[in-house]
């Protein structure tokens, strides 16, 4: 109820308690399947485990949560429940459930599985937003509007260039999310990251001295690769129980994405103000008190996400300082912020796609606002042109005094300059009128839009 930015979205379901339980069970099943593939478990064991794991009624999230309080994590009761469910089918198969693993192996792997699904949904939202913004940028390549710096009109720009900039940020976010998605690793290390138990179980009949020789050790390392294949995740170089790079990379990519979408939202919120009115959302949000309002609700929700995610990411970065081979507290602190970060960014990406696809652009209003300063937005251009004829200092003085006269008398800047005796014979009134047209001073905005639109997913534009 208090998180409308992601309420009802696909990413909310993909990161819910039920999804996490499914991922935990998938991680447990994949481990048995990996062991079976290497001959460390009898044929058919993994299928028996998978059959038991499919009975969702045996693994109620609320029950797991309550029982997790005694051991500190939900894998302990889940492994017990899964073992019992498998034992009802095959006692021998039950002996292979969770064998050699530590709770963190399973929960970290499950978290990566959940993140993988969530990131795919985020990518879909970013793709939709980028596609819509590309259309908008092309359509409004040459639509003039006021460029604003420090809240004030600066020089003219085009709405196409603004939309192309939004798209560029969305694609930057997409690149980061895609890179993290490709690198999400499986977790497998055993009690303290040495894989010792897996080696011991791989050769259970051998004396200890023989058990620790290279073949057994190699089979344990090979199990990591087999586990990665069974889950569809990447193979890590090392167990990462206290080497939290994967989570930190996730945090960074998600925080960047929230900020990138936040830029889009921030601009829409400014441009949709009543007194500006240059854009509007396709369907505005209503007000409980003011029937006339059509609030930019999607932009508001995206902006809320952009303000929340950096704080959540900060918690995840803080967990990098994890002591020993298994951390007391740092790991546990990641769970909820990671899920909320995935959900919030996923909701923002979905909202950004809807916003971009339905954005209404009002060129007429842009032109009216562009003329609000009576030509002052092209003072830079006039100074540059006059500098070649009068010298830079004289040109700057003329334009500065002309701007003051225009503001004082309520006339256009080109009219004020035409009355300046110092410019008599230097520039004709008709030329001043032409130079004073803001729509004719958008620089290389059009070619910049063209260049930006040559960039596709996974690549950057290449200057010609």
């Amino acid at each position: 109820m208090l998180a409308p930015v992601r309420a009802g979205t696909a990413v909310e379901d993909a990161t819910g308690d039920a999804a996490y339980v499914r991922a935990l069970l998938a991680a447990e099943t994949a481990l048995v399947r990996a062991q079976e593939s290497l001959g460390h478990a009898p044929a058919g064991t993994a299928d028996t485990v998978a059959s038991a794991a499919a009975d969702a009624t045996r693994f109620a999230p609320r029950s797991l949560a309550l029982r997790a309080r005694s051991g500190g994590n939900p894998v302990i009761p889940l492994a017990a429940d899964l073992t019992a469910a498998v034992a009802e089918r095959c006692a021998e198969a039950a002996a292979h459930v969770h064998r050699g693993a530590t709770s963190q192996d399973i929960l970290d792997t499950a978290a990566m599985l959940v993140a993988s699904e969530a990131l795919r949904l985020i990518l879909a939202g970013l793709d939709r937003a980028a596609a819509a913004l590309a259309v908008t940028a092309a359509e409004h390549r040459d639509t003039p509007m006021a460029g604003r710096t420090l809240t004030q009109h600066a020089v003219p720009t085009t709405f196409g260039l603004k939309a192309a900039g939004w798209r560029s940020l969305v694609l930057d976010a997409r690149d980061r999310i895609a890179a993290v998605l490709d690198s999400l690793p499986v977790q497998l290390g055993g009690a303290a990251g040495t894989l010792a138990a897996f080696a011991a179980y791989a050769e259970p009949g051998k004396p200890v001295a023989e058990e620790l020789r290279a073949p057994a050790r190699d089979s344990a390392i090979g199990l990591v690769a087999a586990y990665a294949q069974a889950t569809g995740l990447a193979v890590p170089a090392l167990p990462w129980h206290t080497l939290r790079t994967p989570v930190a990379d996730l945090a960074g990519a998600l925080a960047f994405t929230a900020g990138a979408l936040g830029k889009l939202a921030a601009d829409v919120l400014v441009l949709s103000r009543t007194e500006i009115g240059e854009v509007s959302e396709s369907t505005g949000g209503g007000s409980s008190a003011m029937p006339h309002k059509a609030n930019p609700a999607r932009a508001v929700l995206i902006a809320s996400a952009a303000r929340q995610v950096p704080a959540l990411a900060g918690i995840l970065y803080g967990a990098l300082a994890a002591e020993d081979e298994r951390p007391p507290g740092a790991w546990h602190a990641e769970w909820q912020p990671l899920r909320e970060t995935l959900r919030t960014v996923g909701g923002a990406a979905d909202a950004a796609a809807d916003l971009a696809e339905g954005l209404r652009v009002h060129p007429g209003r842009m032109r009216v606002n562009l003329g609000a300063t009576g030509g002052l937005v092209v003072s830079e251009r006039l100074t540059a042109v006059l500098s070649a004829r009068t010298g830079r200092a004289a040109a700057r003085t003329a334009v500065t005094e002309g701007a003051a006269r225009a503001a004082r008398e309520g006339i256009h800047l080109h009219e004020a300059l035409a009355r300046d005796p110092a410019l008599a014979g230097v520039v004709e009134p008709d030329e001043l009128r032409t130079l004073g047209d803001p729509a004719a001073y958008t620089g290389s905005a059009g070619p910049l839009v063209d260049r930006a639109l040559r960039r596709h997913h996974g690549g950057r534009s290449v200057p010609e």
Side-chain angles (χ1 to χ4, degrees):
M1 185 178 71
L2 300 182
V5 68
R6 46 89 165 170
T9 61
V11 76
E12 183 177 49
D13 286 339
T15 55
D17 281 353
Y20 262 90
V21 171
R22 288 194 299 270
L24 290 168
L25 292 167
E28 292 281 14
T29 303
L31 179 56
V32 178
R33 197 170 299 283
Q35 291 172 328
E36 183 181 319
S37 73
L38 297 178
H40 301 170
T45 302
D47 286 342
T48 302
V49 174
S51 175
D55 184 1
T57 62
R58 299 289 296 260
F59 312 100
R62 180 64 175 171
S63 173
L64 293 173
L66 294 175
R67 287 182 288 153
R69 293 179 63 84
S70 62
N73 74 78
V75 177
I76 296 172
L78 178 133
D81 290 351
L82 180 59
T83 300
V86 173
E88 293 174 5
R89 290 164 170 79
C90 175
E92 183 180 6
H96 293 274
V97 174
H98 200 72
R99 193 177 69 171
T102 189
S103 296
Q104 192 170 353
D105 290 332
I106 302 303
L107 187 48
D108 278 349
T109 298
M112 295 299 101
L113 290 172
V114 169
S116 178
E117 179 60 26
L119 292 185
R120 287 184 173 86
L121 294 171
I122 291 170
L123 285 177
L126 295 177
D127 285 344
R128 285 176 54 207
L133 291 173
V135 172
T136 299
E139 182 179 347
H140 293 281
R141 176 187 186 273
D142 302 310
T143 300
M145 67 178 295
R148 297 171 172 89
T149 63
L150 304 181
T151 76
Q152 307 296 300
H153 283 203
V155 296
T157 184
T158 71
F159 187 70
L161 184 57
K162 182 176 285 289
W166 294 339
R167 177 179 180 267
S168 179
L169 279 176
V170 169
L171 292 180
D172 287 344
R174 191 196 188 285
D175 288 348
R176 285 159 173 77
I177 294 293
V180 169
L181 175 60
D182 288 342
S183 65
L184 293 177
V186 75
Q187 173 75 284
L188 197 64
T194 64
L195 298 167
F198 298 111
Y201 281 118
E203 302 288 349
K206 290 188 177 182
V208 172
E210 292 186 45
E211 181 182 299
L212 296 181
R213 289 177 183 171
R217 294 198 303 273
D218 290 347
S219 68
I221 292 176
L223 179 61
V224 179
Y227 191 34
Q229 183 175 9
T231 59
L233 297 172
V235 180
L238 294 170
W240 44 281
H241 294 143
T242 52
L243 309 174
R244 307 305 287 174
T245 301
V247 177
D249 285 347
L250 253 176
L254 292 167
F256 180 90
T257 300
L261 298 179
K263 162 59 177 171
L264 162 63
D267 280 348
V268 169
L269 290 172
V270 168
L271 297 179
S272 62
R273 290 177 181 272
T274 303
E275 59 271 27
I276 297 176
E278 295 178 357
V279 302
S280 58
E281 293 191 8
S282 56
T283 54
S287 166
S288 64
M290 295 165 284
H292 69 281
K293 295 197 70 180
N295 297 319
R298 293 179 183 86
V300 167
L301 293 179
I302 297 166
S304 76
R307 285 162 172 78
Q308 294 175 68
V309 172
L312 294 168
I315 298 172
L316 299 176
Y317 276 118
L320 280 166
E323 61 271 52
D324 301 326
E325 280 61 56
R326 295 278 307 287
W331 170 54
H332 306 72
E334 291 176 352
W335 307 340
Q336 185 64 13
L338 177 58
R339 172 159 72 175
E340 200 57 35
T341 301
L342 289 167
R343 288 178 151 186
T344 304
V345 175
D350 192 64
D354 289 343
L355 171 59
E357 289 171 348
L359 188 66
R360 294 176 178 173
V361 183
H362 308 298
R365 187 65 180 174
M366 291 177 179
R367 188 57 191 261
V368 169
N369 290 339
L370 191 55
T373 62
L376 297 184
V377 290
V378 294
S379 62
E380 177 186 71
R381 181 189 197 187
L382 288 163
T383 301
V385 171
L386 293 176
S387 290
R389 305 178 189 183
T390 66
R392 184 177 181 184
R396 187 172 181 83
T397 296
V399 174
T400 299
E401 292 178 351
R405 184 180 303 113
R408 185 172 58 252
E409 299 178 12
I411 60 177
H412 198 281
L413 177 59
H414 72 78
E415 296 178 89
L417 292 175
R419 299 177 187 179
D420 187 345
L423 297 179
V426 176
V427 58
E428 295 299 321
D430 287 345
E431 184 181 6
L432 284 172
R433 185 178 295 105
T434 299
L435 292 173
D437 180 8
Y441 188 56
T442 58
S444 298
L448 285 171
V449 171
D450 296 339
R451 183 169 71 173
L453 293 181
R454 289 198 298 272
R455 177 183 174 187
H456 300 291
H457 297 163
R460 296 185 177 276
S461 58
V462 179
E464 292 182 344

